[in-house]
Amino acid sequence: MDAAVVGTPIISARDLRVRYGEREILHGLRFDILHGETVVILGGSGSGKSTLLRTMVGLEKSHSGELRVKGVDMGKASERTKAELRLKMGLSFQGGALLGSLSVGENIALPLLEHSGLAPSTVEVMVRIKLEQVGLSGFEDFSPSALSGGMKKRAAFARALAMDPEILFFDEPSAGLDPIMAAGIDNLILNLKKAYTVTMVIVTHELASAFLVADRIMVVDKGDIIADGPPDLLRQSDHPRVRQFLDRVPDSESGDDEVDHLRMYTEGVR
Amino acid sequence: MAVAATSRLNLLARLGGAAEECLAYLGGLAQLSSRALWLVFVSPLKRRRSFDRAAGQAMSVGVGAIPIVSLITFFIGLIMALQGAYELRRLGAMQLVPALVAVAVTRELGPLITAIVVIGRSGSAFAAEIGTMRVTEELDALEAMALDPMAFLVAPKFVAMAVMVPCLAVWSDLMGVLGGCAFGVTAGGFTTLGYFTSTRNALTASDVVTGIVKSFVFGLIITAVGCQEGFSTGAGAQEVGRSTTSAVVRSILMVILVDVVFTIFFYITGGLS
Ligand SMILES: Nc1ncnc2c1ncn2[C@@H]1O[C@H](COP(=O)(O)OP(=O)(O)O)[C@@H](O)[C@H]1O
Ligand SMILES: [Mg+2]
């Protein structure tokens, strides 16, 4: 279970449970994410990956258990403590979540102008640098609605990077993108890994991209972590659900519900 | 007999439930408003940037509303004059038309019509803006950037509305009187100067101040309801439509209710004098 990267945990969860209303989504997770590590959270859609990410940023409250981020107990922290913590975190949402009322450049400038106290001219330069980093130079004045899905994600990346955070969270960075664009995003993540000493938590269901960028992969299935280890170890896993996910086996083959139903139906007619 | 009693009990229980919901909603509004107003005065965000945002809002809720408010209140003034003259002519009291228009417009119709227009233009826009941001996770994005949506979105709206709605109401008073004057001069046998002199003589400062005080409160109510409906938007685009509608309906209802309370209060106390 232990990670290959040495260091101390920057995020640690113990028996973390999260609910929406009465429905429990995450069933008692236990994991550590170490300083400087790139962890990929892999899992099918609806398995609770986004919920886990949102909980780590403090957008969802845990129902029970403990979640510590940089030593702060997220369940008990005040809004102010969480806000301070968030200055050191960058989150890129599944859908980008760029503010529609601002231009792309203003979106990226926003956290800098609000929090850093830098002069607007300095911020302008920084925005240009960040946009260049994600391959979007020259799009400062575009409205987010004028960008394609992939460009939105890149812009959201740039905004997450704006404050040079210690922890970066990416929700499905390459989902719904064409292969070339997806490879571009993977490259971007690899470059970030080299250039910064950041901790990255990347949620995805893209196997190729997961194995390419991860130091460690956690597989989440229906709100449980069913595997946690370096990519090489994971490839050899013999957990049935992990194997099913890695070998892209559809559910119905193991469940047999549909087949049974069909058989019953055809036999009944005969 | 027993059936009637149970159904009466049921009705009571339902009424109780509705009343409780109402109180909870009002409590929510009060909480939102007080937090936003607190943030206005003790804002952790940079003053300069909050001021810019409030000014931007003021442009759209205030300056942007001038043409439509002018048009509507001008015609309301004209209608008041026509309707008044219809009755007053028979009594041979045409000289009272300016006073009738002036008092009705400054004390009641100016602020009320302004509020209704502002609800349609801005209250609905607040709900739609914040509701859309909820649906597209932009509110979460703000929080993830350590920006409080209350300080970033709501506080500037309160400032803009608290300033601009009273201004619009005063402007609409003027336009209403102009509308009355248009009738008075063309068909009522008044000179322009004569009409305005009668108007001035009919008005007291308290008439205008009453309107300003009311529209200030209307501005706060419209903002609170619009933002509250926006924040309570559920998932999905159709929910934005629902919150926008209910922002408009609830704002109109609350503005009218508050207007009733104000009017009764001013009637009993004899106005602000
Ligand atoms: N805001 C919400 N309210 C209620 N249920 C939710 C909400 N968001 C997600 N869920 C439910 O939680 C489960 C996990 O969702 P999510 O974390 O988005 O999954 P993933 O990101 O892995 O696709 C899903 O079954 C979804 O229906
Ligand atoms: Mg998701």
Side-chain angles (χ1 to χ4, degrees):
Chain A
M1 285 291 276
D2 265 350
V5 180
V6 277
T8 49
I10 190 163
I11 302 175
S12 67
R14 295 289 175 269
D15 191 34
L16 177 68
R17 287 170 194 276
V18 178
R19 290 181 175 184
Y20 289 123
E22 282 300 293
R23 193 163 147 235
E24 189 171 275
I25 305 294
L26 301 176
H27 316 291
L29 304 189
R30 177 196 173 88
F31 61 86
D32 289 303
I33 291 169
L34 309 182
H35 277 278
E37 209 179 10
T38 301
V39 174
V40 167
I41 299 174
L42 196 62
S45 75
S47 53
K49 307 183 297 294
S50 296
T51 307
L52 177 54
L53 214 56
R54 292 171 58 84
T55 314
M56 286 195 263
V57 187
L59 294 173
E60 301 299 340
K61 262 200 162 336
S62 59
H63 176 254
S64 67
E66 192 186 72
L67 176 70
R68 283 184 177 277
V69 180
K70 283 175 69 72
V72 174
D73 186 340
M74 295 300 274
K76 300 199 183 89
S78 69
E79 281 303 318
R80 178 168 303 187
T81 321
K82 278 195 242 176
E84 273 164 25
L85 198 59
R86 284 175 186 146
L87 293 177
K88 305 191 185 83
M89 302 201 260
L91 168 59
S92 132
F93 284 80
Q94 201 163 344
L98 298 167
L99 303 186
S101 53
L102 304 179
S103 72
V104 171
E106 287 168 332
N107 260 286
I108 297 157
L110 182 63
L112 293 166
L113 289 172
E114 294 294 341
H115 297 308
S116 70
L118 294 170
S121 54
T122 319
V123 169
E124 209 173 296
V125 174
M126 290 185 70
V127 167
R128 219 174 297 143
I129 295 173
K130 298 294 171 192
L131 277 175
E132 205 177 300
Q133 235 175 346
V134 299
L136 275 182
S137 0
F139 285 94
E140 282 96 331
D141 298 330
F142 277 60
S143 149
S145 56
L147 298 187
S148 76
M151 289 155 95
K152 267 184 212 157
K153 285 209 166 145
R154 285 162 172 261
F157 256 56
R159 186 176 66 181
L161 294 174
M163 296 284 286
D164 291 330
E166 290 173 32
I167 318 175
L168 269 167
F169 297 93
F170 297 133
D171 199 350
E172 310 262 11
S174 47
L177 302 188
D178 64 72
I180 298 170
M181 194 74 91
I185 296 239
D186 288 346
N187 259 337
L188 202 64
I189 293 171
L190 288 173
N191 283 340
L192 284 175
K193 246 173 105 164
K194 272 186 246 154
Y196 290 78
T197 51
V198 289
T199 309
M200 285 193 272
V201 182
I202 303 161
V203 158
T204 188
H205 58 244
E206 311 264 323
L207 289 173
S209 133
F211 279 98
L212 185 64
V213 301
D215 293 327
R216 184 155 65 94
I217 297 179
M218 298 198 301
V219 184
V220 177
D221 183 44
K222 297 188 180 113
D224 286 305
I225 294 178
I226 56 171
D228 182 354
D232 291 337
L233 257 174
L234 193 76
R235 273 205 193 89
Q236 293 147 24
S237 163
D238 49 10
H239 189 293
R241 282 293 283 180
V242 177
R243 279 264 57 95
Q244 193 190 351
F245 198 85
L246 295 186
D247 302 339
R248 298 165 171 266
V249 181
D251 255 341
S252 56
E253 223 166 275
S254 50
D256 264 359
D257 283 358
E258 227 164 312
V259 182
D260 278 351
H261 185 75
L262 269 180
R263 189 174 297 141
M264 197 174 71
Y265 187 72
T266 44
E267 280 168 7
V269 168
R270 187 154 51 91
Chain B
M1 174 70 199
V3 175
T6 357
S7 78
R8 206 168 298 151
L9 267 180
N10 267 339
L11 187 69
L12 271 179
R14 283 235 298 277
L15 276 177
E20 207 173 301
E21 243 169 66
C22 265
L23 283 178
Y25 187 79
L26 291 181
L29 287 184
Q31 206 180 351
L32 182 128
S33 315
S34 52
R35 183 150 155 61
L37 292 176
W38 187 79
L39 282 169
V40 168
F41 294 108
V42 204
S43 177
L45 291 181
K46 301 219 170 63
R47 295 231 160 247
R48 182 66 218 286
R49 291 182 52 77
S50 332
F51 180 79
D52 286 351
R53 268 192 289 272
Q57 287 286 342
M59 282 301 283
S60 74
V61 304
V63 179
I66 287 178
I68 185 73
V69 164
S70 308
L71 196 66
I72 293 182
T73 45
F74 179 86
F75 284 121
I76 292 281
L78 183 67
I79 292 170
M80 281 305 296
L82 274 166
Q83 296 279 26
Y86 179 75
E87 196 62 25
L88 290 173
R89 188 161 46 191
R90 289 193 311 161
L91 304 173
M94 276 296 277
Q95 74 278 11
L96 289 180
V97 168
L100 174 78
V101 172
V103 171
V105 165
T106 51
R107 289 190 73 97
E108 186 56 53
L109 290 172
L112 186 65
I113 300 288
T114 302
I116 305 269
V117 172
V118 170
I119 288 170
R121 284 187 81 254
S122 307
S124 60
F126 294 167
E129 177 194 344
I130 296 177
T132 307
M133 293 182 76
R134 159 80 67 218
V135 171
T136 56
E137 290 189 308
E138 286 172 47
L139 289 180
D140 292 330
L142 279 178
E143 276 192 58
M145 286 187 282
L147 295 175
D148 180 1
M150 288 296 279
F152 187 79
L153 292 171
V154 179
K157 290 182 168 56
F158 267 101
V159 174
M161 293 281 275
V163 174
M164 292 317 276
V165 179
C167 289
L168 279 175
V170 171
W171 177 255
S172 73
D173 292 349
L174 187 69
M175 293 308 291
V177 168
L178 272 181
C181 181
F183 165 79
V185 170
T186 54
F190 286 90
T191 63
T192 311
L193 185 64
Y195 190 94
F196 277 106
T197 312
S198 315
T199 300
R200 246 221 60 196
N201 291 340
L203 283 180
T204 61
S206 86
D207 292 330
V208 179
V209 172
T210 308
I212 292 177
V213 169
K214 278 208 291 200
S215 44
F216 173 78
V217 177
F218 292 165
L220 299 187
I221 291 175
I222 298 167
T223 318
V225 174
C227 295
Q228 166 110 324
E229 292 300 325
F231 281 117
S232 66
T233 303
Q238 73 285 357
E239 287 293 303
V240 178
R242 191 206 53 78
S243 358
T244 310
T245 309
S246 92
V248 170
V249 174
R250 289 182 180 189
S251 302
I252 291 180
L253 179 65
M254 292 206 32
V255 159
I256 299 280
L257 288 180
V258 168
D259 197 8
V260 169
V261 173
F262 264 113
T263 310
I264 293 175
F265 175 78
F266 289 140
Y267 180 79
I268 292 172
T269 58
L272 292 170
S273 48

